[in-house]
Amino acid sequence: MIRAILFDQGDTLWHFPRMPAPAELGAEASRRAVAVLEGWGLTTDDGLRRLAMDTFLKSQLAELEAYRTHLVSPDPAAVLREIAAERGVEMSLEQARELWEGCRPDGAFLSRTIFADTAATLRWARERGYRVACVTNTLFGGRPLLRDFEEEGLDGIVELVVASCDIGYLKPHPKIFEHALEALAVRPDETVMVGDSLRADVGGAKEMGMTAVWKRRTDAYAQWEMDWQKQGLIPDHQPDYTVDNLWEITELPIFVPGGSST
Amino acid sequence: MIKAVLFDLGDTLWHFPNMPPHIVIREETVRRINALLSTWGIDPDGGLLFLGRDIRVAVERLTAEAYRTDFVSPDYVDLCAEVAGSFGLRLTDEQARELWDAWNLGGQFFGRTLFPDALDTLRWLQERGFKLGSVTDRAFGGPRFMAELEEYGLGAFFGVVTISSDVGYLKPHPKIFQHALEALGVRAEETVMVGDSLRADVAGAKGLGMVAVWKRPPLNEPTEVGADKADVTGEVAPDYAIDNLWELTELPVLNHG
């Protein structure tokens, strides 16, 4: 019997239809980083102005490498701290984390747009008594990520948000899912994972013994994942169900009338 | 009477429907630059990780500036030397050229795909005796790019391929069009220009008295860095607008027997 539903974040709950170009993102992150650093009373030189974008690139490359291999997530705050030290500025890991969280552009800048049926679907799940959590691969966790859920009015609905960079493991590593399952006190066979990635969400769920719902995507990224599957670089897991819109999950046979409490 | 047809390339004859994710492009850039640095005996670890990214930022900045001002194509090899200099690397001219070459991943990597009717349309025009050419804004030309054109089967059609970074001017500057017209031995009013940018292709062509065909670009698809953007706003109206290349075969100006 199903008792919990885990959702991926990007391209599952919301998307970024007008994501600014990398150079614009870098400039915005740098602007924010400079504001934090100057708030600390530091004078920012060229190296410090580039701290945020350099941290992002280095962390992203480490994350991609990990995603293909060991699935241990880099900690962007640790990466930032290391680069800052190379440029002559020592800071604590807590300071590095504050700076990293402070330099993330806000949802409006990133063009974050919630799907029209997201809130209704999540509310449907909670009303039926299902536990609801978000499990996401991201380099931006912590407070700013929780704020995203608040801004979208989902903070009272999603009980738990688990971010790979906070936990130290990327989906499909079992540990990131286990973290969510333990917090919700449910077993894998009682849990549905909904997400748009064949490797992270579908593959991760199937290897854990969860029910996998693939929110289909047809863009270049999905093509890449399918190519990886064909080349044998990632396991060829098939989803239990495929949907195009979140609301379709309310019609899946696993969610028996009356919900999980009956 | 029309004697020649010139084509833009990106989003006109080909497009990029499956551009790899940014991070995959970045990873490949780092890999290629590191391999090059190693051949120079330079340890790529540490700060040099950001060299490729900084070249891209500089390419975007200089190209945008040229479009805003004089349409003079930036010197990208110089730019590579300059960016490398900011990392404490003093490059010879030859090394700067090698760095620029390594930075360019090539169209294949970006998933470049000809539109399905591109070759048929070019063949139709060629069979009717039109001279064909290409006029394109690109940061990267030269022999390697000409070899790429061959791979896509386009080389055989074009009497001239005029590339902004080779001739020094970006569309809509008249000089880049004039270069192509002279090479083909035709006058502007004998020529049709086909492209997706209202500013670079349509305004550029009309400025010289050519017939301008606007190929409406695929929306929400990425373009290569340094390529002309799919410009859908402009002050100059095209003579014709098409959605698919094959529609060219139905235009009155290209059907005079």
Side-chain angles (χ1 to χ4, degrees):
Chain A
M1 194 173 67
I2 298 301
R3 295 180 57 215
I5 313 176
L6 309 180
F7 292 89
D8 167 54
Q9 178 207 176
D11 287 316
T12 298
L13 299 179
W14 45 63
H15 63 145
F16 301 89
R18 293 170 307 283
M19 180 68 93
E24 292 169 55
L25 289 170
E28 172 69 7
S30 295
R31 196 185 61 72
R32 288 170 166 267
V34 165
V36 175
L37 288 164
E38 287 179 353
W40 291 350
L42 286 167
T43 322
T44 47
D45 61 8
D46 217 35
L48 286 184
R49 273 191 292 275
R50 298 149 46 99
L51 194 51
M53 51 198 280
D54 289 355
T55 300
F56 187 56
L57 177 59
K58 195 167 183 179
S59 304
Q60 239 191 346
L61 289 169
E63 190 188 38
L64 180 62
E65 175 66 18
Y67 190 55
R68 277 202 288 259
T69 54
H70 47 66
L71 299 174
V72 177
S73 172
D75 178 359
V79 173
L80 183 146
R81 185 179 179 219
E82 191 187 301
I83 299 178
E86 282 165 13
R87 294 174 190 178
V89 176
E90 302 287 342
M91 59 179 83
S92 68
L93 193 59
E94 289 65 37
Q95 285 174 310
R97 202 169 304 285
E98 182 187 337
L99 177 52
W100 179 243
E101 290 182 358
C103 67
R104 197 197 78 162
D106 59 36
F109 185 86
L110 299 172
S111 80
R112 188 187 66 228
T113 307
I114 191 166
F115 290 114
D117 53 1
T118 296
T121 306
L122 298 188
R123 215 171 284 125
W124 169 90
R126 287 300 301 275
E127 282 164 6
R128 296 293 178 111
Y130 297 111
R131 311 296 305 270
V132 172
C134 171
V135 181
T136 174
N137 281 353
T138 180
L139 290 169
F140 293 99
R143 277 296 309 154
L145 181 59
L146 293 179
R147 208 155 47 230
D148 291 345
F149 284 81
E150 290 161 13
E151 285 170 6
E152 298 295 355
L154 300 179
D155 50 319
I157 307 174
V158 175
E159 299 169 75
L160 172 74
V161 179
V162 182
S164 55
C165 63
D166 295 335
I167 300 303
Y169 294 93
L170 291 157
K171 295 182 291 183
H173 198 293
K175 286 203 179 170
I176 184 170
F177 294 111
E178 281 161 5
H179 185 93
L181 297 180
E182 273 166 34
L184 296 179
V186 292
R187 295 193 315 266
D189 60 314
E190 297 172 323
T191 305
V192 179
M193 175 73 210
V194 184
D196 68 298
S197 166
L198 288 172
R199 168 157 164 79
D201 302 315
V202 172
K206 294 308 289 179
E207 277 168 30
M208 288 284 294
M210 297 190 271
T211 302
V213 177
W214 185 43
K215 183 158 182 290
R216 181 181 2 229
R217 57 192 287 179
T218 54
D219 60 357
Y221 186 80
Q223 197 56 51
W224 271 70
E225 286 201 329
M226 283 186 236
D227 288 348
W228 286 350
Q229 275 189 348
K230 273 186 221 137
Q231 294 165 30
L233 293 174
I234 58 175
D236 184 14
H237 286 296
Q238 297 302 314
D240 296 293
Y241 304 96
T242 300
V243 299
D244 291 303
N245 298 295
L246 274 188
W247 183 252
E248 290 171 47
I249 71 168
T250 66
E251 289 152 17
L252 297 180
I254 38 170
F255 300 116
V256 292
S260 68
S261 52
T262 56
Chain B
M1 194 170 79
I2 296 301
K3 290 183 179 167
V5 185
L6 300 176
F7 288 89
D8 169 56
L9 292 174
D11 282 338
T12 298
L13 290 183
W14 60 47
H15 62 144
F16 297 87
N18 292 309
M19 185 81 91
H22 285 306
I23 181 59
V24 173
I25 296 172
R26 289 170 168 205
E27 185 187 49
E28 179 67 5
T29 305
V30 168
R31 195 187 65 73
R32 292 200 197 186
I33 289 180
N34 284 358
L36 178 66
L37 291 172
S38 298
T39 67
W40 296 342
I42 294 171
D43 177 7
D45 282 349
L48 288 173
L49 178 66
F50 310 113
L51 179 54
R53 194 269 324 273
D54 281 9
I55 291 175
R56 197 205 63 235
V57 170
V59 167
E60 284 177 351
R61 183 170 49 78
L62 256 72
T63 307
E65 204 174 287
Y67 276 128
R68 254 199 322 273
T69 55
D70 53 11
F71 304 109
V72 173
S73 176
D75 186 330
Y76 295 104
V77 174
D78 262 14
L79 173 152
C80 278
E82 211 172 291
V83 174
S86 72
F87 286 85
L89 296 179
R90 205 157 292 157
L91 303 188
T92 63
D93 290 354
E94 179 54 28
Q95 284 177 319
R97 254 189 301 277
E98 282 175 24
L99 178 58
W100 179 232
D101 194 64
W103 184 84
N104 281 276
L105 304 184
Q108 204 104 49
F109 185 85
F110 294 117
R112 178 192 287 156
T113 307
L114 281 180
F115 285 111
D117 50 2
L119 294 178
D120 286 343
T121 305
L122 292 173
R123 204 169 295 117
W124 185 93
L125 291 165
Q126 195 175 48
E127 282 166 5
R128 275 150 191 81
F130 293 108
K131 294 180 179 182
L132 303 179
S134 175
V135 182
T136 172
D137 284 353
R138 351 182 24 85
F140 195 65
R144 189 173 138 200
F145 180 68
M146 296 308 281
E148 286 186 27
L149 281 182
E150 293 290 342
E151 281 169 33
Y152 287 85
L154 294 171
F157 291 107
F158 294 141
V160 64
V161 177
T162 304
I163 299 167
S164 58
S165 54
D166 291 342
V167 299
Y169 295 93
L170 291 156
K171 292 182 292 185
H173 198 291
K175 287 203 178 166
I176 182 169
F177 293 104
Q178 279 157 356
H179 179 276
L181 296 175
E182 275 164 34
L184 290 181
V186 292
R187 297 196 314 269
E189 58 273 25
E190 296 171 329
T191 305
V192 174
M193 173 72 205
V194 185
D196 69 295
S197 168
L198 283 176
R199 181 192 53 184
D201 301 311
V202 171
K206 296 295 288 179
L208 280 170
M210 298 160 72
V211 175
V213 179
W214 183 42
K215 180 170 182 298
R216 282 183 279 256
L219 295 177
N220 305 320
E221 277 188 14
T223 56
E224 287 170 289
V225 175
D228 51 332
K229 297 275 186 294
D231 242 313
V232 295
T233 55
E235 286 163 15
V236 180
D239 297 293
Y240 304 97
I242 59 174
D243 290 304
N244 298 294
L245 289 168
W246 188 250
E247 291 170 49
L248 287 175
T249 66
E250 290 152 19
L251 295 187
V253 281
L254 296 172
N255 279 285
H256 42 61

